[in-house]
Amino acid sequence: VGGSRNRTAGSYESEDALMPAPSTRMESADGFIDLKESASSPPSPSKKDALGTKEEKPEVKKEVVIRKNLNETAFFYPTLRTDSLGRFKVSFTIPEALTTWKFRAMAHTPSVQSGMVSQETITQKELMAQPALPRFLRYGDTVEIPIKVTNLTDSIQKGLASLELKDPITEKDISSLYALEALSKNFSIPAKQSVSVTFRLKVNDNFNALRITGIADAGKFSDAEQSVIPVLSNRMLVSETMPLPLKAKQERTFTFSDMIRGFTSSTMKPHRYTLEVTSNPIWYAIQALPFLMEYPHECAEQLFSRFYANSIGLKIVNDNPEIEKVFDVWKKFQSSAFQSNLQKNQELKNILLEETPWLNEGNDEQERKKRVALFFDRNTMNQSLTSALRKLREMQLPNGSFTWFPGMKENRWITQHILAGLGKLRNLGIKNVPFDMYEPATKYVVAQIEDDYNQLIENKINLNQDNLYYTTLHSLYAVSFFEDVEYKKGKGFKYFLDQTKRYWRKKDFYSKGISALILHRFDEKKEAQLCFESLKEFSTTNDELGRFFKDNRAGWYWYQAPIENQALMIEVFNDVGKDSVAVEELKTWLLKQKQTTDWKTTKATTEAIYSLLGFGVKYINEKGIVSATVGEKVIDPKNNAIDPVEVGTGYYKVTWSGADIKESMATVRLSNPNNVVAWGALYWQYFEDMSKIQSSQTNLTLKKQLYIESMSGSKKVLTPVTSVSPIKIGDKIISRIEIKTDRNLEYVHLKDMRGSGFEPINVLSQYKWQDGFGYYESTKDVATHFFIDFLSKGSYVFEYPLRATTRGGFDNGIATIQCMYAPEFSSHSEGIRVQIK
């Protein structure tokens, strides 16, 4: 805790230990620990209020020491030494939170005799300042921040309570920008009592985080507690994209009509406008890899995506030393945001990046480059790969299958997706694919194929008809990657392989593609070639869009995913058809579907990356750079672009932010000097107020309502939150979400945002069962998430409790629902603003 604290071998060293803070040492696990202030603290430089108010503080003898290390666990290494009687003394450093701590220890002898001890201790000071802060704030919130000031002395204490606000990046005092009243107030506290001093703030949109310090100074005794909390936008980020295709030696003018339309809105706030150009599609795959690492949820599919991304990243730097040299240069870029204390707070950073993903782009484009370069750091990738693999192993059941989220039952499709992904990594020449993971998974999938066959027999289904369904086809495809796994091809396996050979002509676009690969890999080469030729006949070519399939339309099932299906076709045209020209044409369409950082989902992104890196031409040797004119501004990539072009890809990017974005920039002219096609894109991002968002009316609808729960006798009563029934501090609030869907949905993610004046009551993430279906509930700082692997047609109601903890006015956000692997199927509720009295 303090700079003068005594340390023992194994004490936990932290950055906070270097700060002038109270000294704490725990010699035993019972009684009290007093955080005594150092008598040698420097005198106060001035009697004037540090916040600039005219009111003078009582005379102080020393500077107020700020408590910053508020960790919930006192970490230390258990290095113990006993005396001749077997007694030992444990000494470690307590964090600076003023609270009750539970100390637990277990000891055992070589003969497995054991004992345990569990005791409590309290950290406290004579005068304590404890601000009650919400987990986060949103732009536009009005909030009352109380500081509880406690006097444990035997005499009355009089002094000044203050609230100090700073930007954690620049360290600039910004208190005056938020204060609705004076941020310094006098207090008088009788002995052994406490008072609450409240300060009113209005949150503006100038900063993404606040460092808040609550101070109580009574002269002889003082205390201060400091925390950093995220400040989230009350606006929704809207992203519009426009592809910029160029033929060889072509000059072309583009008009971004969505951008022009956006400037007609009075509430629109421009955020970022980006021109991106490259001559080599591999750069798109490289840029998308960090997205797979940063996705926030810990389901098996996304854990595999992290393993997948790191495996490919290692291969890229191993195979392409010239790219690694560029990344080494990028790592040296100095960015103030990377060096700030905000970036050092990983938990805060995660909240900001999850809820405000546009912050990934940073205030400085060099930061984005450094993020990509840091991803490709060998040590970072090895550590991340090991971590993802360990977590993935924990989600593999003894029978070889995987669950989607912890606590759920085995999920056949997720297992097959992971198994096929492991096979694709091997096809890319990656050697770290674990046999002890894919071997049991392969045997599990083979067993499922046999079970499918047995179900046909038990149900007395005519075996001569077409009984080949999507899941069984995908099973055969996943298994086809692993010729090194020994398994028995039973009656079911042989039956469905024969079904594939007999009935592929009757199948849809997806099934034909997967049938061609199955037949090819299981030595039915002639039939596989016929299947490929049929697919090629049904494909369409276009100078701008490349080669695509009109039947490749989005649906709400996992096999109706356009990005993944196009990637599948690239695999078919390469492995079965050996048609390199068509492969490059298919890549053209795939590239045009890419969003700002990814292909909409982690699953789609992994498939797209595999197709771009695994097949056909990987590098284009043309050295010419596409020239560009945006509005009236001529872009010189070598001097004006932030990203260098020395990679050899011809890639560069130019970005404008905020007020620098003009409507005239919607017109862009490009010129390609090379003998190969060039790719480009425009990205236009702007904000709209969250509270103005109306409920979407689609085939999938959401309605969100807040209720106050009270008791009438022994019955619970729910009262809708309205202006005549406002929320009061301490009220138990029920957030109710009504879902209506006119079709069956798979892998659904429901996210319910909440205002910063609420605290969740359910804090443990767990699997639950409700109204005949199961779901995984995950509580985060800003929202509660529900993951449903199958939602059948009908109406549903989700309810969960909150507690009103902070007075003020808050945007409560919206509820959103989306199929995670078919994001076109989504909906949202209207925005809600609440007042807590």
Side-chain angles (χ1 to χ4, degrees), residues 276-294:
E276 187 178 52
V277 179
T278 185
S279 299
N280 190 346
I282 193 175
W283 201 247
Y284 281 80
I286 291 173
Q287 286 182 301
L289 285 170
F291 162 78
L292 296 179
M293 291 300 302
E294 292 163 357

Side-chain angles (χ1 to χ4, degrees), residues 232 294-297 347-360 749 751 778 780-783 785 787:
L232 306 179
E294 292 163 357
Y295 212 80
H297 305 301
E347 182 179 356
L348 174 62
K349 179 182 173 184
N350 289 342
I351 294 172
L352 287 170
L353 293 184
E354 181 176 343
E355 295 303 319
T356 55
W358 54 89
L359 292 180
N360 265 347
H749 174 207
K751 173 184 177 181
S778 175
K780 301 288 187 179
D781 283 301
V782 178
H785 302 258
F787 299 91

Side-chain angles (χ1 to χ4, degrees), residues 254 273 628-635 656 662-669:
F254 302 86
Y273 188 56
T629 303
V630 179
E632 300 300 322
K633 181 178 178 59
V634 177
I635 305 299
W656 297 265
K662 309 297 181 183
E663 184 177 353
S664 61
M665 298 167 69
T667 300
V668 176
R669 186 166 63 254

Side-chain angles (χ1 to χ4, degrees), residues 477-503:
Y477 170 72
V479 170
S480 70
F481 286 96
F482 298 98
E483 71 286 347
D484 57 326
V485 176
E486 295 183 6
Y487 58 86
K488 181 180 179 181
K489 295 180 181 178
K491 292 182 179 179
F493 196 100
K494 295 176 181 177
Y495 171 77
F496 286 116
L497 189 58
D498 181 67
Q499 285 260 302
T500 306
K501 184 177 179 180
R502 292 174 60 186
Y503 292 112

Side-chain angles (χ1 to χ4, degrees), residues 431-472:
K431 299 179 181 179
N432 66 340
V433 182
F435 178 82
D436 64 334
M437 180 178 289
Y438 70 72
E439 190 261 353
T442 301
K443 291 184 176 180
Y444 165 81
V445 174
V446 170
Q448 295 302 301
I449 295 172
E450 296 302 314
D451 187 62
D452 291 345
Y453 177 74
N454 293 333
Q455 289 293 321
L456 296 177
I457 301 297
E458 292 177 12
N459 295 322
K460 299 181 180 179
I461 302 298
N462 181 3
L463 297 182
N464 291 319
Q465 68 183 20
D466 181 5
N467 295 313
L468 191 61
Y469 301 108
Y470 292 104
T471 301
T472 308

